[in-house]
Amino acid sequence: MESALYGPEGFYLRPEGPAGHFRTSVHASPLFAGAVARLLCRVDEALDHPDELTFVDLGAGRGELTAGVLAALPADVAPRARAVAVERAGRPAGLDPRVEWCDRAPGGVTGLLFANEWLDNVPLDVVEVDPDGLVRRVLVHGDGTESLGDEVEGADASWLARWWPLAPEPGLRAEIGGPRDEAWEAAAATLDRGLAVAVDYAHTRAARPPFGTLTGFRAGRETAPVPDGGCDITAHVALDACALPGATLLTQRAALHALGVSGGRPPLSLASTDPVAYVRALSQAGEGAELTADGGLGDFGWLTQPVGIADPLSG
């Protein structure tokens, strides 16, 4: 998974970028970047308006969210804002020159670290229950075919017992989320003060999928997760396992509603008094509805991790 996503011929280094293969909330509507900008402003207030307010976009793709947040900041915040896009691919042409581009998150940050669909691409191992009821690691060959390897023991077995226990039923699967837990802890540790947010496809211990979630995406379509570098390889995130003390889990729907995004239609009276404004508001309502939809983007999980401040999304 590491090689297929981030190696020399890896998916995330391809010139077309993630947007050439799948659509995230960032690509669905500029309302998403606007909401993140408002969240950054709330963090700014909680931090008592520091001289430098940093926004870190972890897993930045081609910088679409970073640029959108900068563009949406109000005049009293923008001059103090430092924007950092973190991505293993090279800096894209034409990106706002104010955006710093690097391959790892900077330390000592005061502000907001935002990881949109990053954790689902942190490589992990898949396991399966064999005919004897033993949990074994799934081995994957270059063409995507699979076989079962050694029995899972040690720290990985302990993680499964705590976060994703499997009944001794042949064929049941799980994804060992320890690497995601460690990645998130390291990301949150780059903050001196502020808020870390992870947004992703997610599940919790009470409702783990019985056969796992590993899949691939190529050219806009779901496909087999063949590790050839030509498709995204992804698995949903056990966000409850990632959460550190003081964290909050909520849906994207709830988070965006709290940040002023909804799918509510504008009043029909506006159509007669200001038709242009009505059409604009109607378009935004459609985009807001997509971002917060049941059974769609609205079901994404948000993990908010405050560091030295109260959670700006709580209450």
Side-chain angles (χ1 to χ4, degrees), residues 31 262-266 279-292:
L31 294 178
S262 75
R265 294 172 63 90
V279 171
R280 184 167 56 248
L282 195 63
S283 175
Q284 289 190 346
E287 294 173 5
E290 181 182 4
L291 289 171
T292 59

Side-chain angles (χ1 to χ4, degrees), residues 8 10 17 40 54 66 68 70 94 127 174 177 179 191 194 197 212 218 239 244 294 301 306:
L40 180 59
T54 300
T66 320
L70 275 179
V127 299
L191 286 174
V197 179
R218 190 194 312 266
L239 276 182
L244 300 166
D294 289 324

Side-chain angles (χ1 to χ4, degrees), residues 185-200:
E185 184 175 11
T190 64
L191 286 174
D192 281 349
R193 293 180 67 221
L195 183 70
V197 179
V199 181
D200 237 307

Side-chain angles (χ1 to χ4, degrees), residues 11-201:
F11 175 81
Y12 277 97
L13 275 64
R14 293 171 65 93
E16 70 272 17
H21 294 267
F22 54 82
R23 190 165 180 256
T24 70
S25 297
V26 177
H27 309 125
S29 170
L31 294 178
F32 189 78
V36 176
R38 287 191 290 277
L39 179 57
L40 180 59
C41 290
R42 291 192 185 185
V43 171
D44 181 48
E45 184 174 354
L47 292 168
D48 197 23
H49 313 292
D51 292 339
E52 181 178 85
L53 176 70
T54 300
F55 173 68
V56 178
D57 182 4
L58 187 54
R62 295 302 180 266
E64 299 95 336
L65 177 61
T66 320
V69 168
L70 275 179
L73 288 177
D76 62 322
V77 176
R80 293 183 288 109
R82 172 194 179 198
V84 182
V86 182
E87 184 57 71
R88 297 202 199 183
R91 182 187 183 97
L95 184 65
D96 189 319
R98 293 175 295 171
V99 176
E100 299 175 31
W101 192 267
C102 54
D103 61 3
R104 64 183 61 191
V109 166
T110 298
L112 173 63
L113 179 142
F114 201 86
N116 185 61
E117 295 194 48
W118 171 66
L119 280 172
D120 67 297
N121 292 125
V122 172
L124 46 58
D125 282 346
V126 177
V127 299
E128 183 176 314
V129 180
D130 75 5
D132 296 322
L134 300 177
V135 179
R136 297 188 179 276
R137 215 172 298 274
V138 175
L139 306 180
V140 184
H141 305 280
D143 61 359
T145 58
E146 300 174 346
S147 59
L148 295 184
D150 294 338
E151 184 179 358
V152 177
E153 299 176 336
D156 286 343
S158 297
W159 189 94
L160 288 169
R162 180 179 181 186
W163 293 110
W164 198 330
L166 289 169
E169 180 182 332
L172 292 182
R173 284 194 168 199
E175 292 131 10
I176 301 174
R180 274 98 182 266
D181 301 350
E182 294 169 4
W184 182 244
E185 184 175 11
T190 64
L191 286 174
D192 281 349
R193 293 180 67 221
L195 183 70
V197 179
V199 181
D200 237 307
Y201 296 100

